[in-house]
Amino acid sequence: MALRLDLRSLIFACALLCCSSDLLAEGPWPQWQGPQRDAVSTEAGLIQEFPEGGPQRLWLFEDCGIGYSGPAIVENKLYILGAFEGTDHLLCLDATTGEQLWKSPLGSTFENDWGNGPRSTPTVDGDFMYVLTPTGTLYCLQTDDGSIVWQKEMQDLGGEIPVWGYSESPLVLGNTVFCTPGGEEGAIAAFDKISGDLLWQSKDYVDVAHYSSIMPMKHDGRTILVQLLYKELVGVDPENGGGLWSIPWNGNVAVIPTPIISHDTVYATSGYGAGCVLVRLSGNDAEVVYENKNMTNHHGGVILRDGHLFGYSDGKGWVCQDHETGKLVWREREALGKGAIAYADGRFYCLGEDEGELVLITASADGWEEHGRFTLEPQTELRKPKGKIWTHPVIANGKLYLRDQELLFCFDVKGE
């Protein structure tokens, strides 16, 4: 029995090591925040200046359902979640034409005053994809028709639905899918991606689930999992769920942004006054390099480029922060309100959550340099009064995708 377990652990470790840190999944945007889960597109040759009125709109799909789910794009197919008449669905569209190819029903959806429907992005992995619904069901589905292969309930693992619903996008590495049920039975869980069998729960960490998504990190020749829980930033052994390190986190109300990995460091931020932290790893030890409130990102995301962090900080506006020191490099409070950010080909795509303005700026520590803007038109009439345009921009195959509830836009941003 011991030999069998050791062999299984060896096979598991080898599978993880075979997962390249340069590309976690195939496709131009196969999962939450793109190939490396960092909101950075690998696209090149894109337009560097928006024309008057913005780039050409290629198509508008008007039946995406209710929700904030972002698209995953692989092999010219676009997968996205939406709620129809109280039921979550997985949709597949032709990413070039916007034609719906199929729609597959899941379970009952989540409802609250900020908006109903799914919040997460599908994770596409070969012939299968993995989605976590806001009510806490993890599905494995076939990519060709959306048929369900298996499903698991977070509540069966001791989890409870967070106030704004489960919003995490699952992580697939090797033969394993990871997610965060939260709770005293173990905050993070691992499943066999083919059978759905539960492999482990991380009993060293029993915090409740919030809204961040797990990031993989290559460190000292191995892969570890990094997750920002409600009250701690943690490192987890993906082979057995064992705790490797933990840093206290001053989470308040909602902890949402995905951690940022760079070499031997982990950067985390969240809103409601929590601020940000940079942690440096040495073996299984984690040391805080700095903590401050120069970046207090609610949910629009932060991007690391060329040693600097960019995103919207509550109370400060759009900011650039030095990654190594945490010092504020510049801020812009007037050009655009709070929103989400993505990167492609030397430019940031900044989407304002209030008016639906998309602004193209230089990805530079020299300051906010604008290269055109436009406003989404039309906009949904189905958004709840407390809801805003919260789905992050996606750039793939020379196209920019934006969502406002049931409306999914596709723009041509490919250069000449």
Side-chain angles (χ1 to χ4, degrees):
M1 175 64 77
L3 178 60
R4 190 177 303 168
L5 289 176
D6 288 344
L7 180 59
R8 180 178 178 178
S9 296
L10 178 61
I11 293 172
F12 188 94
C14 290
L16 289 178
L17 287 173
C18 288
C19 298
S20 168
S21 61
D22 296 325
L23 187 67
L24 295 179
E26 294 182 357
W29 206 272
Q31 60 183 333
W32 163 243
Q33 294 200 140
Q36 298 184 57
R37 295 171 79 91
D38 58 3
V40 173
S41 170
T42 57
E43 297 284 299
L46 305 182
I47 58 176
Q48 298 293 290
E49 301 276 344
F50 280 164
E52 185 70 24
Q56 177 189 4
R57 192 179 81 191
L58 297 175
W59 51 260
L60 169 62
F61 182 69
E62 301 181 80
D63 196 23
C64 208
I66 298 301
Y68 299 102
S69 171
I73 302 168
V74 174
E75 294 183 352
N76 211 36
K77 290 184 178 179
L78 183 153
Y79 304 95
I80 197 165
L81 297 164
F84 298 82
E85 298 181 348
T87 299
D88 289 331
H89 287 70
L90 174 65
L91 289 79
C92 178
L93 309 182
D94 184 303
T96 299
T97 66
E99 175 189 3
Q100 179 177 302
L101 302 178
W102 49 258
K103 182 170 69 174
S104 177
L106 304 175
S108 298
T109 196
F110 176 83
E111 299 182 359
N112 73 3
D113 290 343
W114 285 262
N116 303 340
R119 281 92 161 96
S120 65
T121 298
T123 300
V124 182
D125 180 67
D127 294 331
F128 303 97
M129 77 182 76
Y130 303 85
V131 301
L132 181 62
T133 67
T135 55
T137 303
L138 175 66
Y139 287 96
C140 171
L141 308 110
Q142 293 185 341
T143 55
D144 57 354
D145 61 3
S147 57
I148 297 172
V149 179
W150 55 260
Q151 64 190 75
K152 300 292 178 178
E153 306 297 329
M154 297 300 100
Q155 291 88 336
D156 291 342
L157 304 178
E160 295 185 5
I161 301 175
V163 173
W164 285 279
Y166 280 99
S167 304
E168 179 184 19
S169 300
L171 170 68
V172 176
L173 291 177
N175 295 317
T176 309
V177 56
F178 303 92
C179 67
T180 310
E184 294 185 356
E185 294 181 30
I188 298 170
F191 301 87
D192 183 287
K193 73 176 185 181
I194 302 300
S195 67
D197 291 343
L198 178 66
L199 301 178
W200 53 254
Q201 278 187 259
S202 56
K203 299 186 183 299
D204 291 330
Y205 305 122
V206 295
D207 207 348
V208 296
H210 261 232
Y211 312 96
S212 183
S213 294
I214 299 170
M215 281 292 289
M217 179 180 188
K218 292 287 187 179
H219 180 63
D220 283 351
R222 63 185 298 197
T223 298
I224 68 173
L225 306 178
V226 176
Q227 176 63 305
L228 181 60
L229 301 169
Y230 183 40
K231 290 295 183 182
E232 54 186 336
L233 174 67
V234 301
V236 176
D237 187 333
E239 296 182 35
N240 55 32
L244 301 176
W245 51 265
S246 173
I247 298 293
W249 183 250
N250 187 32
N252 185 30
V253 183
V255 173
I256 303 171
T258 300
I260 294 173
I261 308 301
S262 179
H263 304 294
D264 62 347
T265 66
V266 177
Y267 176 91
T269 179
S270 67
Y272 299 98
C276 63
V277 65
L278 182 72
V279 175
R280 178 164 280 111
L281 304 188
S282 177
N284 286 341
D285 295 326
E287 179 184 359
V288 174
V289 178
Y290 61 79
E291 291 180 274
N292 61 47
K293 290 182 169 54
N294 286 335
M295 182 72 78
T296 303
N297 185 260
H298 185 191
H299 51 56
V302 175
I303 294 176
L304 173 62
R305 295 298 296 174
D306 300 325
H308 295 85
L309 297 146
F310 302 84
Y312 188 91
S313 180
D314 290 346
K316 289 184 173 60
W318 293 89
V319 305
C320 171
Q321 181 185 29
D322 187 281
H323 178 253
E324 285 296 318
T325 68
K327 293 181 179 178
L328 191 65
V329 178
W330 58 256
R331 69 179 184 179
E332 171 55 59
R333 305 184 68 170
E334 305 299 328
L336 183 68
K338 183 176 180 177
I341 188 171
Y343 170 89
D345 196 19
R347 297 286 187 259
F348 288 124
Y349 293 71
C350 303
L351 177 64
E353 65 178 29
D354 291 311
E355 306 299 329
E357 282 187 293
L358 192 288
V359 182
L360 190 70
I361 69 168
T362 302
S364 169
D366 294 334
W368 178 282
E369 181 182 343
E370 188 170 323
H371 296 275
R373 67 172 62 202
F374 69 97
T375 301
L376 283 183
E377 181 63 36
Q379 293 188 17
T380 183
E381 296 181 359
L382 302 180
R383 193 187 316 130
K384 288 195 174 183
K386 290 184 179 181
K388 299 181 185 294
I389 299 175
W390 285 326
T391 304
H392 292 207
V394 166
I395 306 101
N397 292 330
K399 301 175 183 66
L400 166 67
Y401 298 91
L402 301 173
R403 180 181 186 174
D404 183 13
Q405 297 296 315
E406 82 281 10
L407 305 177
L408 181 63
F409 299 79
C410 175
F411 298 92
D412 183 6
V413 292
K414 189 70 175 177
E416 295 296 334

PDB file of all heavy atoms in Angstrom, residues 399-414:
ATOM      1  N   LYS A 399      -9.314  40.226 -31.487  1.00  0.00           N
ATOM      2  CA  LYS A 399     -10.649  40.721 -31.167  1.00  0.00           C
ATOM      3  C   LYS A 399     -10.734  41.092 -29.691  1.00  0.00           C
ATOM      4  O   LYS A 399     -10.107  40.459 -28.841  1.00  0.00           O
ATOM      5  CB  LYS A 399     -11.716  39.680 -31.506  1.00  0.00           C
ATOM      6  CG  LYS A 399     -11.732  39.274 -32.981  1.00  0.00           C
ATOM      7  CD  LYS A 399     -12.718  38.149 -33.229  1.00  0.00           C
ATOM      8  CE  LYS A 399     -12.667  37.700 -34.671  1.00  0.00           C
ATOM      9  NZ  LYS A 399     -11.373  37.068 -35.014  1.00  0.00           N
ATOM     10  N   LEU A 400     -11.528  42.112 -29.414  1.00  0.00           N
ATOM     11  CA  LEU A 400     -11.805  42.551 -28.048  1.00  0.00           C
ATOM     12  C   LEU A 400     -13.240  42.163 -27.719  1.00  0.00           C
ATOM     13  O   LEU A 400     -14.171  42.514 -28.446  1.00  0.00           O
ATOM     14  CB  LEU A 400     -11.629  44.070 -27.940  1.00  0.00           C
ATOM     15  CG  LEU A 400     -12.188  44.755 -26.696  1.00  0.00           C
ATOM     16  CD1 LEU A 400     -11.432  44.328 -25.442  1.00  0.00           C
ATOM     17  CD2 LEU A 400     -12.131  46.280 -26.857  1.00  0.00           C
ATOM     18  N   TYR A 401     -13.415  41.449 -26.594  1.00  0.00           N
ATOM     19  CA  TYR A 401     -14.738  41.003 -26.175  1.00  0.00           C
ATOM     20  C   TYR A 401     -15.115  41.714 -24.875  1.00  0.00           C
ATOM     21  O   TYR A 401     -14.341  41.735 -23.917  1.00  0.00           O
ATOM     22  CB  TYR A 401     -14.744  39.488 -25.956  1.00  0.00           C
ATOM     23  CG  TYR A 401     -14.437  38.691 -27.198  1.00  0.00           C
ATOM     24  CD1 TYR A 401     -13.123  38.326 -27.504  1.00  0.00           C
ATOM     25  CD2 TYR A 401     -15.445  38.305 -28.073  1.00  0.00           C
ATOM     26  CE1 TYR A 401     -12.830  37.590 -28.650  1.00  0.00           C
ATOM     27  CE2 TYR A 401     -15.160  37.558 -29.219  1.00  0.00           C
ATOM     28  CZ  TYR A 401     -13.853  37.214 -29.495  1.00  0.00           C
ATOM     29  OH  TYR A 401     -13.564  36.498 -30.630  1.00  0.00           O
ATOM     30  N   LEU A 402     -16.330  42.276 -24.869  1.00  0.00           N
ATOM     31  CA  LEU A 402     -16.849  42.966 -23.692  1.00  0.00           C
ATOM     32  C   LEU A 402     -18.271  42.483 -23.430  1.00  0.00           C
ATOM     33  O   LEU A 402     -19.032  42.219 -24.371  1.00  0.00           O
ATOM     34  CB  LEU A 402     -16.856  44.485 -23.898  1.00  0.00           C
ATOM     35  CG  LEU A 402     -15.509  45.146 -24.206  1.00  0.00           C
ATOM     36  CD1 LEU A 402     -15.703  46.613 -24.555  1.00  0.00           C
ATOM     37  CD2 LEU A 402     -14.545  45.001 -23.035  1.00  0.00           C
ATOM     38  N   ARG A 403     -18.627  42.399 -22.157  1.00  0.00           N
ATOM     39  CA  ARG A 403     -19.971  41.924 -21.800  1.00  0.00           C
ATOM     40  C   ARG A 403     -20.680  42.913 -20.883  1.00  0.00           C
ATOM     41  O   ARG A 403     -20.083  43.442 -19.949  1.00  0.00           O
ATOM     42  CB  ARG A 403     -19.894  40.570 -21.094  1.00  0.00           C
ATOM     43  CG  ARG A 403     -21.276  40.025 -20.711  1.00  0.00           C
ATOM     44  CD  ARG A 403     -21.224  38.712 -19.989  1.00  0.00           C
ATOM     45  NE  ARG A 403     -22.562  38.183 -19.771  1.00  0.00           N
ATOM     46  CZ  ARG A 403     -22.838  36.999 -19.271  1.00  0.00           C
ATOM     47  NH1 ARG A 403     -21.850  36.191 -18.914  1.00  0.00           N
ATOM     48  NH2 ARG A 403     -24.093  36.593 -19.108  1.00  0.00           N
ATOM     49  N   ASP A 404     -21.961  43.115 -21.163  1.00  0.00           N
ATOM     50  CA  ASP A 404     -22.859  43.854 -20.276  1.00  0.00           C
ATOM     51  C   ASP A 404     -24.127  43.018 -20.136  1.00  0.00           C
ATOM     52  O   ASP A 404     -25.058  43.124 -20.939  1.00  0.00           O
ATOM     53  CB  ASP A 404     -23.166  45.239 -20.853  1.00  0.00           C
ATOM     54  CG  ASP A 404     -24.048  46.074 -19.931  1.00  0.00           C
ATOM     55  OD1 ASP A 404     -24.218  45.701 -18.755  1.00  0.00           O
ATOM     56  OD2 ASP A 404     -24.573  47.103 -20.400  1.00  0.00           O
ATOM     57  N   GLN A 405     -24.143  42.127 -19.142  1.00  0.00           N
ATOM     58  CA  GLN A 405     -25.238  41.195 -18.916  1.00  0.00           C
ATOM     59  C   GLN A 405     -25.531  40.358 -20.166  1.00  0.00           C
ATOM     60  O   GLN A 405     -24.667  39.638 -20.630  1.00  0.00           O
ATOM     61  CB  GLN A 405     -26.477  41.952 -18.410  1.00  0.00           C
ATOM     62  CG  GLN A 405     -26.270  42.644 -17.065  1.00  0.00           C
ATOM     63  CD  GLN A 405     -26.005  41.681 -15.931  1.00  0.00           C
ATOM     64  OE1 GLN A 405     -26.659  40.656 -15.759  1.00  0.00           O
ATOM     65  NE2 GLN A 405     -24.998  41.988 -15.127  1.00  0.00           N
ATOM     66  N   GLU A 406     -26.724  40.477 -20.741  1.00  0.00           N
ATOM     67  CA  GLU A 406     -27.086  39.620 -21.882  1.00  0.00           C
ATOM     68  C   GLU A 406     -26.416  40.033 -23.184  1.00  0.00           C
ATOM     69  O   GLU A 406     -26.491  39.315 -24.190  1.00  0.00           O
ATOM     70  CB  GLU A 406     -28.614  39.607 -22.067  1.00  0.00           C
ATOM     71  CG  GLU A 406     -29.205  40.776 -22.834  1.00  0.00           C
ATOM     72  CD  GLU A 406     -29.351  42.050 -22.025  1.00  0.00           C
ATOM     73  OE1 GLU A 406     -28.834  42.117 -20.898  1.00  0.00           O
ATOM     74  OE2 GLU A 406     -29.999  42.992 -22.522  1.00  0.00           O
ATOM     75  N   LEU A 407     -25.740  41.180 -23.187  1.00  0.00           N
ATOM     76  CA  LEU A 407     -25.099  41.707 -24.391  1.00  0.00           C
ATOM     77  C   LEU A 407     -23.616  41.355 -24.403  1.00  0.00           C
ATOM     78  O   LEU A 407     -22.877  41.688 -23.481  1.00  0.00           O
ATOM     79  CB  LEU A 407     -25.260  43.228 -24.456  1.00  0.00           C
ATOM     80  CG  LEU A 407     -26.697  43.763 -24.370  1.00  0.00           C
ATOM     81  CD1 LEU A 407     -26.688  45.288 -24.378  1.00  0.00           C
ATOM     82  CD2 LEU A 407     -27.553  43.211 -25.504  1.00  0.00           C
ATOM     83  N   LEU A 408     -23.176  40.681 -25.458  1.00  0.00           N
ATOM     84  CA  LEU A 408     -21.770  40.332 -25.634  1.00  0.00           C
ATOM     85  C   LEU A 408     -21.270  40.969 -26.926  1.00  0.00           C
ATOM     86  O   LEU A 408     -21.786  40.682 -28.007  1.00  0.00           O
ATOM     87  CB  LEU A 408     -21.592  38.815 -25.681  1.00  0.00           C
ATOM     88  CG  LEU A 408     -20.160  38.303 -25.832  1.00  0.00           C
ATOM     89  CD1 LEU A 408     -19.307  38.692 -24.627  1.00  0.00           C
ATOM     90  CD2 LEU A 408     -20.149  36.780 -26.020  1.00  0.00           C
ATOM     91  N   PHE A 409     -20.259  41.838 -26.808  1.00  0.00           N
ATOM     92  CA  PHE A 409     -19.738  42.610 -27.929  1.00  0.00           C
ATOM     93  C   PHE A 409     -18.420  42.016 -28.408  1.00  0.00           C
ATOM     94  O   PHE A 409     -17.602  41.557 -27.606  1.00  0.00           O
ATOM     95  CB  PHE A 409     -19.455  44.051 -27.509  1.00  0.00           C
ATOM     96  CG  PHE A 409     -20.650  44.832 -27.020  1.00  0.00           C
ATOM     97  CD1 PHE A 409     -21.140  44.655 -25.733  1.00  0.00           C
ATOM     98  CD2 PHE A 409     -21.274  45.762 -27.840  1.00  0.00           C
ATOM     99  CE1 PHE A 409     -22.226  45.385 -25.279  1.00  0.00           C
ATOM    100  CE2 PHE A 409     -22.351  46.499 -27.392  1.00  0.00           C
ATOM    101  CZ  PHE A 409     -22.835  46.310 -26.113  1.00  0.00           C
ATOM    102  N   CYS A 410     -18.186  42.083 -29.699  1.00  0.00           N
ATOM    103  CA  CYS A 410     -16.913  41.690 -30.291  1.00  0.00           C
ATOM    104  C   CYS A 410     -16.429  42.802 -31.205  1.00  0.00           C
ATOM    105  O   CYS A 410     -17.158  43.215 -32.130  1.00  0.00           O
ATOM    106  CB  CYS A 410     -17.062  40.392 -31.073  1.00  0.00           C
ATOM    107  SG  CYS A 410     -15.568  39.878 -31.962  1.00  0.00           S
ATOM    108  N   PHE A 411     -15.203  43.318 -30.946  1.00  0.00           N
ATOM    109  CA  PHE A 411     -14.620  44.413 -31.721  1.00  0.00           C
ATOM    110  C   PHE A 411     -13.338  43.948 -32.392  1.00  0.00           C
ATOM    111  O   PHE A 411     -12.581  43.133 -31.852  1.00  0.00           O
ATOM    112  CB  PHE A 411     -14.311  45.610 -30.815  1.00  0.00           C
ATOM    113  CG  PHE A 411     -15.523  46.207 -30.146  1.00  0.00           C
ATOM    114  CD1 PHE A 411     -15.919  45.771 -28.890  1.00  0.00           C
ATOM    115  CD2 PHE A 411     -16.246  47.212 -30.782  1.00  0.00           C
ATOM    116  CE1 PHE A 411     -17.016  46.328 -28.268  1.00  0.00           C
ATOM    117  CE2 PHE A 411     -17.364  47.761 -30.174  1.00  0.00           C
ATOM    118  CZ  PHE A 411     -17.758  47.319 -28.904  1.00  0.00           C
ATOM    119  N   ASP A 412     -13.057  44.517 -33.553  1.00  0.00           N
ATOM    120  CA  ASP A 412     -11.849  44.209 -34.307  1.00  0.00           C
ATOM    121  C   ASP A 412     -10.719  45.127 -33.833  1.00  0.00           C
ATOM    122  O   ASP A 412     -10.774  46.340 -34.009  1.00  0.00           O
ATOM    123  CB  ASP A 412     -12.097  44.431 -35.795  1.00  0.00           C
ATOM    124  CG  ASP A 412     -10.907  44.060 -36.674  1.00  0.00           C
ATOM    125  OD1 ASP A 412      -9.920  43.524 -36.118  1.00  0.00           O
ATOM    126  OD2 ASP A 412     -10.966  44.300 -37.878  1.00  0.00           O
ATOM    127  N   VAL A 413      -9.693  44.552 -33.196  1.00  0.00           N
ATOM    128  CA  VAL A 413      -8.545  45.357 -32.758  1.00  0.00           C
ATOM    129  C   VAL A 413      -7.258  44.896 -33.426  1.00  0.00           C
ATOM    130  O   VAL A 413      -6.168  45.249 -32.982  1.00  0.00           O
ATOM    131  CB  VAL A 413      -8.401  45.328 -31.212  1.00  0.00           C
ATOM    132  CG1 VAL A 413      -9.549  46.048 -30.538  1.00  0.00           C
ATOM    133  CG2 VAL A 413      -8.274  43.893 -30.686  1.00  0.00           C
ATOM    134  N   LYS A 414      -7.400  44.123 -34.507  1.00  0.00           N
ATOM    135  CA  LYS A 414      -6.217  43.685 -35.254  1.00  0.00           C
ATOM    136  C   LYS A 414      -5.693  44.819 -36.105  1.00  0.00           C
ATOM    137  O   LYS A 414      -6.448  45.521 -36.769  1.00  0.00           O
ATOM    138  CB  LYS A 414      -6.588  42.489 -36.147  1.00  0.00           C
ATOM    139  CG  LYS A 414      -5.389  41.806 -36.804  1.00  0.00           C
ATOM    140  CD  LYS A 414      -4.551  41.061 -35.794  1.00  0.00           C
ATOM    141  CE  LYS A 414      -3.437  40.279 -36.454  1.00  0.00           C
ATOM    142  NZ  LYS A 414      -2.554  39.602 -35.472  1.00  0.00           N
TER     143      LYS A 414
END
